[in-house]
Amino acid sequence: AFLIMSQRRARIAVLGAGWWSQGWHLPHLSRHSEAEIVAIVEPNPHPRSAINELESTAALGERYGCPVFSSLADALASPLRLDGLLVCTSHASHFELGITGLRAGLHVLMEKPMTTDPEEALGLAAAAAAAERDQGLAFLINNTANYRAQSRAAAALVRERRRVGRV
């Protein structure tokens, strides 16, 4: 059941409030005319980063006008209506959050890597395929590096030469 975007905005819960969420996902989602941040899920009320200063979850909730939950289970148990999840948490948590989202009937956009374990990746891929087939759910891995000039040039070299060469 894909959303008809002209009718309403996609209701998104952002999982994780680290530097990637605060510096990229939350600001961009908040400006997107077809998306609405309806929840932030972060277990640490004061996220930390070695890269930059981060806002507390209370400040983020106020900034983006949404509730903050300490777990996905709490968000799912609330009366909130969600359409999808944006998973930008620690890599080791991706499998559990992705599976939980799909089982809850939600679309999932996940930061790379998909998981940190090959068996979990296979299980998540199978669950995503079944969710797409049975419920029309989308499961996507965000890998924008594929579109960088350097990545495209490297892919072209491998395609043209049919080998990687000396490293």
Side-chain angles (χ1 to χ4, degrees), residues 4 9 28 43 46-47 55 57 62 70 72 89 106 127 140 159:
I4 299 173
R9 295 165 37 165
H28 285 284
H46 299 282
E55 290 185 64
T57 56
E62 188 173 315
S70 61
L72 178 54
T89 57
L106 301 172
L140 305 164
R159 249 191 334 272

Side-chain angles (χ1 to χ4, degrees), residues 38-42 56-62 66-71:
V38 296
I40 297 170
V41 177
E42 171 59 53
S56 69
T57 56
L60 290 172
E62 188 173 315
C66 66
V68 175
F69 297 91
S70 61
S71 72

Side-chain angles (χ1 to χ4, degrees), residues 9 35-36 61 74 79 98 126:
R9 295 165 37 165
E36 177 184 5
D74 289 346

Side-chain angles (χ1 to χ4, degrees), residues 27-67:
H28 285 284
L29 270 176
S30 72
R31 292 190 297 267
H32 199 292
S33 63
E34 295 179 347
E36 177 184 5
I37 301 166
V38 296
I40 297 170
V41 177
E42 171 59 53
N44 184 349
H46 299 282
R48 296 183 311 174
S49 169
I51 297 171
N52 56 9
E53 293 291 320
L54 298 177
E55 290 185 64
S56 69
T57 56
L60 290 172
E62 188 173 315
R63 174 189 293 269
Y64 295 106
C66 66

Side-chain angles (χ1 to χ4, degrees), residues 98-131:
I99 286 287
T100 300
L102 292 170
R103 288 179 180 159
L106 301 172
H107 301 284
V108 177
L109 173 60
M110 181 176 286
E111 274 299 330
K112 64 182 184 316
M114 181 185 204
T115 69
T116 56
D117 177 89
E119 292 302 316
E120 286 183 350
L122 291 171
L124 192 49

